[in-house]
Amino acid sequence: MKIIVCVKQVPDAKDVRLDPKTNTLAREGVQSIMNPYDQYALEEAVLLKEQLGGEVTVLSMGPPQAVDVLRQAISLGADHGVLVSDRAFAGADTWATSYTLAKAIHKIGDFDLILCGKQAIDGDTAQVGPGLAIQLDIPFVTCIQKVREASESELVLERMMDDGYDVVAVSLPVLLTVVKDLNIPRIPSLKGKMKAKKAEFKILSAEDIGADSACIGLAGSPTQVVSVFPPPPRGERAVLTGTVEEQIEQLVEKIAVYL
Amino acid sequence: MDYFLSEEQSMIVEIAKQITDERIIPQRAELDRKDEFPRDILNSMAQADLFGVPIPEEYGGFGGGCLDIVLALEQLGRGCIGVGTAFAASALGVYPIIISGSEELKEKYLPPVAAGKKFAAFGLTEANAGSDASGIQTTAVLDGEEWVLNGTKQWITNGGEAQIYTVVAITDRKKGPRGASMFVVEEGDAGFSCGPKEKKMGIRASSTTELIFKDCRIPKDRIIGRAGTGFVTVMKTLDSSRPGIAALGLGIGQACLDESTTYAKQRVQFGKPIISFQAVQHILADMAIQLEASRALVYSAAKHIDAHPKDMSKVSSMCKVMATDMAMKVSIDAVQVMGGYGYMREYPVEKMMRDAKILQIYEGTNQVQRNVIGQELNKEYSRR
Amino acid sequence: MLIVDSELCIGCGVCEESCAFGAIEVIDGCAVVGDACTLCGACVENCEVEALQIEGAEKSVQADLDSWRGVWVYCEFRAGTLAPVSLELLGAGRKLADARGVHLSAVLIGAGTGDTAQRLIGHGADIVYQVDDPALAYFTDEAYGAVLIDLIKKHKPEIVLAGATAIGRSFIPGVANSLGAGLTADCTHLDIRLDDGALLQTRPAFGGNIMATIVCLSSRPQMSTVRPKVMQAMEFDAARQGKIVNVTPDPVLLQTKVRVLESVVFEQDDVNIQESDILVAGGRGMDNAKGFELIRELADSIDAAVAASRAVVDAGWIGYPHQVGQTGKTVAPKLYIACGISGAIQHVAGMQSSETIVAINRDENAPIFDVADFGIVGDMYKIIPMLISKIEGHRKS
């Protein structure tokens, strides 16, 4: 089975803060990590490879330093990594991103299955996975919480819904986006880390993938950010006083409107 | 401090650190409370290739040296030395095969242990043979094509959980220490069983049981090395494994320093964080000094052992004594810095203090280690 | 891309300060653009010497922008139930439609929708496109998407809103991508710019640490998914008039490659935490699964749903659908009571837009208190039972 996993390098959210004075993201000490949802996608790809044979290619779009997440993916069991990177991609929204990834996948070649995290934790849009499927003209199923059965031709899956889950069957090729419940990502192995250290990655430019310049970056993006600002501050915490019992009494009064 | 580790050594540290932070630390309190063997955690260590570190490359391992295993165990010990002990005991269980085993035994038993598919255990101690190994009562008698083992081993780490056991038995009582031999016993061998799990003060995640041999019959070729070489193998095994125990001590020391320093920065008394009081600062400073001095000795000893495998007894004993005495002291100090909170089960240093004690006892008490060091000094100075 | 004219740049650093993404740095007296640049243009606006400009392929503008008229709301109907967010969106859509002077239409897709269309009219819709077909009994991205795309192409609405629910966040991105339309996910605020009819869509990003306002100028429709519980539904008015348009979908649209074998809907006590007005959330501080039972007791006593931190879900005390935070759900109930939750940023990201936040924790330094409106420090096992009995006392009086 040929599996492509789309991964994104994101800033670790625990480090991200907006400086209210300058309106800028504090950049000191912000670590870059593989988007957490993508880690579940990668793990599932490696599990499927172990079960059915085949190979796993990880694909990322981002600045040159995003090869770090490809390297990490190799240490976790992926076989190959491809980065699409070009300054011309800057300003891409989810439409332009899915177009670009689809072009890159055409360049990579055949596939049976594409796995994506449900969403990236920096954008939280959950749009690139479905958009990519549309661009590739294949079906997609989002929020997969369990792979019940897998064969070379068909998958039986549980997709998470707000009030339960649906069990669906789909033949390949298909694109899936995954949620956290799917698996527990492994810890990189020593062999994997050694392989990752030596791994080399294909870096594709806009020209390499034959992208139409009107469809990438800012020009290819229907949406545009007009302003960025910090969320309205929450009010000061009300002080409850006295013994714990007295505090609870005051609390019940304060929240009585909701009860 | 920067110890200028190689790239591969840094990888081992990263992997063991990730397992410790993501798998061991979130589970350690529950494993401790339930006396539960950490099979899932050991499986994730297996998947990460850690079990292969001490096994030679030709048998599916990484052929790592003493320092490599020390680095891994230090990280694991920072999380839980109960888990660390279960891991270390598997390595201890196959050292006799690595050191003295036949090619056939190596080919049969080392690859599954390197892959973490099977766990091993080491059976030496008995009711009347602890620090004094010459008191061993378990016997092995050759009967045609089979050895017949009888006797009971006590306090065997990984008992009941391991699939491969290397045990010491007397094959010729008249020869004293030269009459002992080592054998491989497998889970499921007729006449071999494990006793119930012991209830311990600490390292409760590790399993400790008796190994019971009642006319246990094993094939003749399961002997490790020649008959009568058992004690030599045991001594070399323990010499090799002691720095690993020292490393667990480093891990606990680091964890105690981390916990108590973090606490001291947060805990406010008399209007200030308690770390601003010299009385507290001095305790923390002493902890840090002892920890770093121990680490320097353990790493140096491990490098010495890797470079001079025939001259390991003294340095191996020295680093075990220093790092494990440090671990006990530092864990007591950590509880003291944290006061009442430190004594409560909801904070981890209570468990660390209970756990630390075993380090001064098992794999040769620290008193016996000092004997070894003393005897080695006596020998050295006689040669001058 | 962003071009710096090094002749004009005076190295004043205004651009560096105005960049929300930390993508510009002044090096040796001249601005240098890094890879983090998203071409948002904030620096260009702020540059007093006009040394910065964004260059690249011109964005092509759809020719017939003005022919797209009307505000649409996709009203989610699953297993016989209308998702409450649909009514909230009609409330928001009504305001937008009135501001634009256009109709508000609802799109209802499903099977056995009964009098739902009439309800939608009572809650503000002028027109309901009702697509009721047994083949649409189960949600699939393909069929629902194809039906909606077909309707949008025929009727050309300028704005399409949908709930940011599991279903909305799944098939709407496919619809938008097929149409080449701009889509903004998880909006918490919507507004109309009167001069050009641009929908100003505001949403949190980076786990709620920053807010971004997004527009879609060059194409129609403008599409948004909107979080449940942030918009206000209108009171039902039986006197409201509207038109129900029954749509019979082309059978080709209903063909799917994905087959739904079974749809499992959880029991009542596992309600969707995103739709709940009150959430009681438990964390690692509840010590163990047994301690976590206290959370359920408190929730039961105030008709709340139970939520949890990641640690608790990972420990198996409660299922993943209850997880709030970065790798779980984002919630915004009226009241959020966090018990034994330390308040790591990953958790706070999922609940900080709750109206009122109560934190109960034994650690007075827990960061959860930083976002709480009310906080009590102490032993969970004493406080929660006492809280339950005080609430019961309050209710009786």
Side-chain angles (χ1 to χ4, degrees), chain A residues 119 142 154 166 180 234, chain C residues 169-170 259 263 323 352:
Chain A
Q119 63 194 43
T142 60
E154 195 183 64
D166 284 357
K180 190 192 100 174
R234 296 193 69 87
Chain C
R169 284 172 55 106
S170 185
R259 288 174 290 129
S263 190
Q323 184 184 322
Q352 62 186 351

Side-chain angles (χ1 to χ4, degrees), chain C residues 44-79:
Chain C
V44 180
E45 278 172 38
N46 283 300
C47 181
E48 284 164 24
V49 295
E50 295 181 355
L52 294 166
Q53 67 180 94
I54 290 175
E55 259 181 21
E58 271 298 297
K59 204 179 244 189
S60 60
V61 177
Q62 208 173 308
D64 59 345
L65 285 191
D66 292 338
S67 68
W68 295 72
R69 284 183 69 75
V71 176
W72 280 23
V73 172
Y74 165 70
C75 292
E76 179 177 325
F77 186 87
R78 170 170 149 90

Side-chain angles (χ1 to χ4, degrees), chain A residues 39 43 47 50 72 76 184-195 197, chain B residues 7-8 11-12 14-15 18-20 22-23 44 47-50 53 60 62:
Chain A
Q39 297 177 21
E43 175 66 21
L47 289 172
E50 287 169 355
Q72 188 187 345
L76 292 164
I184 299 171
R186 69 193 62 197
I187 283 164
S189 67
L190 199 47
K191 284 192 195 104
K193 273 190 182 261
M194 288 176 179
K195 192 176 161 209
K197 193 183 84 179
Chain B
E7 201 164 6
E8 278 184 27
M11 286 180 190
I12 291 172
E14 280 169 29
I15 291 169
Q18 198 177 348
I19 286 172
T20 301
E22 294 179 14
R23 304 285 153 94
S44 60
Q47 191 170 43
D49 300 331
L50 282 189
V53 171
F62 285 85

Side-chain angles (χ1 to χ4, degrees), chain C residues 34 40 55 75 79-80 93 100 105 140 164 235 257 278 280 307 335 379:
Chain C
C40 72
E55 259 181 21
C75 292
R100 289 285 295 153
S105 307
T140 61
E235 287 295 317
K257 294 189 186 115
I278 309 179
V280 180
L335 178 61
D379 182 355

